[in-house]
Amino acid sequence: MNLTVRILIGMAAGLVLGVAVQQTGVSESHWLRSFFVEGIIDAGGQIFIASLKLMVVPLVLVSLICGAASLGDTGSMGRVGGKAIGLYLLTTALAISIALILALLVSPGVGGDPPPSDVTFDPGAPASIKDTLVGIFPTNPVSAMADGNMLQIIVFALLLGIAISHAGEAGARVMGWFQDVNEVLMRLITLLIKLAPYGVFCLMTRLFATQGWEEILKLLSYFMTVVAALIVQMSVVYPTLLMLLARVNPLTFMRKMREPMLVAFSTASSGATLPVTLRTVEQRVGVRNEVAAFVVPLGATINMDGTAIMQGVATVFIAQFYGIDLALGDYLMVILTATLASIGTAGVPGVGLIMLTMVLTQVGLPVEGIMLIIGVDRLLDMLRTAVNVTGDGTVSAIVARSEDDLDMNVFDDPEAGRVVPARG
Ligand code: ASP
């Protein structure tokens, strides 16, 4: 049985068990909840997420050092970076536009009950653009790694990689060492992914044991509009870009991306999924390390197409709910700020909703509107995170193809990089 099927079985079993626990209606203090769900199952889920997260910093650092060192000249690095950022912005802008069009067609917020007037929401002060830019450059790489600050780690790894490629024999020795470490780390992910079916089972069980359905039923048209826009992004935008710009079969690509999609869905974190995405993009899709090691971590940090979709639909929903008309200029503003907000969203659960405050403030909508949709956000978060990581993979494949760094033998081979599941 292949790993994808195993993960799906883990997911389905977790869903059934979780719903069953919820249906028993037992109280929080009953052993079924306190000992089983919140104890054993929650521990299993947390250990799974920790085992993925522990890989992120060493993996990004080492594989990007290797990538930057073999790209060597800064010219091709700038070109790869430029193409990646351009495509990330394009996919995000397309995502929000689709979200806005669908939301305006469906009008999910028209005719809702007025929200209670006593709710308040404090988004805190956003960082300025200057501070954000300066903050990308680490003053202390060790503390960047300790904090898991992805952009700072990327900058440090790029600089070190460039230096290695310019350091002659010493550089070659260091490079050899990093390449060995990279191979060992990739092997470690392959081992850890084998545990995914169990980890996913725990995460799903706990979620569905605690997730209520009433909120979703109340907000069904908002929920379904976001889902529809996510489906369009996955089934129209990415396949079209893959066919037009990379001239590859999108079905083969999507089939190979199933594991990162499922892990993203269960963890709701593109950051935690990053090791799985990187492994898949390199070993299953065939993007060479030089491109993948740079473009995938960058995408996991700044490219959030699914998040942008939620922000687009949510903005229209909240405007309609409060009966506020938005003009064409406001919609253009939404496209601009939601693109920026999704760049600023960290790849962890729920942050997309917090960043939505930036969009709402920009077009003069009440930030309290967020309280209207918070109840359905967890499930949407899972779905949009799966789209976020698929977008990262899509852009990596397109950039690699344009640089002649997509190994078509790997891409066309269904067995390439396949994880052989653990027995038992
Ligand atoms: N959970 C999303 C991610 O990690 C971010 C968000 O939309 O909240 O990609």
Side-chain angles (χ1 to χ4, degrees), residues 22 61 82 115 117 172 219 249 268-269 275-276 280 345 352 382 422:
Q22 207 206 25
L61 182 78
S117 55
L219 290 175
N249 184 341
S269 165
V276 185
T280 303
T345 302
M382 297 161 78

Side-chain angles (χ1 to χ4, degrees), residues 96 100 315 327-340 358-359 361-364:
I96 308 174
L100 289 179
T315 307
L328 183 64
D330 293 324
Y331 288 113
L332 294 178
M333 196 51 148
V334 172
I335 295 182
L336 185 73
T337 44
T339 305
L340 294 177
M358 187 174 138
V359 186
T361 316
Q362 213 41 250
V363 286

Side-chain angles (χ1 to χ4, degrees), residues 268-271 304 307 310 345-353 381 384-385 388:
S269 165
S270 30
M304 310 268 167
T307 303
M310 176 279 286
T345 302
V348 288
V351 181
L353 198 67
D381 196 3
R384 68 182 181 248
T385 308
N388 290 346

Side-chain angles (χ1 to χ4, degrees), residues 104-121:
L104 287 172
L105 287 176
V106 177
S107 301
V110 171
D113 297 332
S117 55
D118 56 342
V119 285
T120 50
F121 186 85

Side-chain angles (χ1 to χ4, degrees), residues 312-329:
V313 177
T315 307
V316 175
F317 174 79
I318 290 169
Q320 289 173 343
F321 210 97
Y322 283 92
I324 299 170
D325 280 331
L326 296 179
L328 183 64

